[in-house]
Amino acid sequence: MDIPLKHLVGTISLIGLIIATGFSYNVITSYIEAEVQRRQLHQVAEYVALNLVEVVSLVNFSNYSSVEPVFKVLKLPRELGEKPYLIELLNETIEGRGCYVRARLAEGEGIAATSPIPVNHLEAGLVLKTTGEGTIPIIGGSGGVIQWSGLVYAGAGDLVVWGLMDGSTQTAGIGIWRRG
């Protein structure tokens, strides 16, 4: 059986073209998916930062000193594109980058977005809880506790931003509200 050389070259070229097209399609769709996720994470980070500033301003202007926090439950999706994500507060004022919220995929794909927190915490006497963890009891209303941490898994429950004034110290952060 004699196969002409041009048929063999044409068949191999056609197979190579099909493989290259499939590979290119996968690369392009992966890039587009990553960009969509990055934009969604940016919207989440911006939403958390703006709500945190609102709560901080409310506590600051109310001059209400109490160990019970003012908090706001955030309406956020539990997952983005069926992928879990984390929200964290970062204070990098020493490095000159300021305070900001970072939202990132939990799977470590390197897809993340940040939003600055437009509060000069040094002038306002604000302590932003970016490290550690703890609980704050909620006495009135629905009760329960806020489990705060500098890093929160968005699908863990009711995500909240909170702030409180204890004497002259104002403290704020993010956490999960565990109803009582």
Side-chain angles (χ1 to χ4, degrees), residues 47-153:
Y47 177 69
V48 172
L50 292 176
N51 280 287
L52 184 62
V53 169
E54 283 181 14
V55 168
V56 166
S57 297
L58 182 64
V59 170
N60 193 28
F61 293 127
S62 69
N63 292 326
Y64 176 68
S65 183
S66 172
V67 291
E68 185 165 345
V70 173
F71 66 96
K72 182 177 181 180
V73 178
L74 302 178
K75 305 292 184 197
L76 289 170
R78 299 210 182 272
E79 296 177 331
L80 294 177
E82 299 180 6
K83 294 182 180 180
Y85 64 101
L86 303 167
I87 300 170
E88 58 188 321
L89 295 180
L90 298 166
N91 183 354
E92 295 183 352
T93 53
I94 294 173
E95 294 86 4
R97 288 180 277 214
C99 297
Y100 56 95
V101 175
R102 178 169 55 196
R104 62 183 170 90
L105 292 181
E107 297 174 356
E109 295 180 18
I111 299 174
T114 61
S115 180
I117 302 171
V119 168
N120 187 344
H121 74 287
L122 297 174
E123 288 181 15
L126 174 64
V127 176
L128 193 62
K129 293 292 189 176
T130 58
T131 60
E133 56 185 42
T135 58
I136 303 170
I138 308 295
I139 300 165
S142 300
V145 296
I146 294 175
Q147 293 179 324
W148 63 266
S149 174
L151 176 67
V152 176
Y153 168 58

Side-chain angles (χ1 to χ4, degrees), residues 24-45:
S24 297
Y25 175 78
N26 283 339
V27 168
I28 291 170
T29 56
S30 295
Y31 174 78
I32 291 171
E33 181 183 13
E35 279 303 306
V36 166
Q37 289 172 335
R38 194 171 287 113
R39 288 181 190 199
Q40 289 173 333
L41 289 168
H42 180 72
Q43 289 174 346
V44 166

Side-chain angles (χ1 to χ4, degrees), residues 11-22:
T11 303
I12 292 173
S13 297
L14 188 58
I15 291 171
L17 182 62
I18 291 170
I19 290 171
T21 302

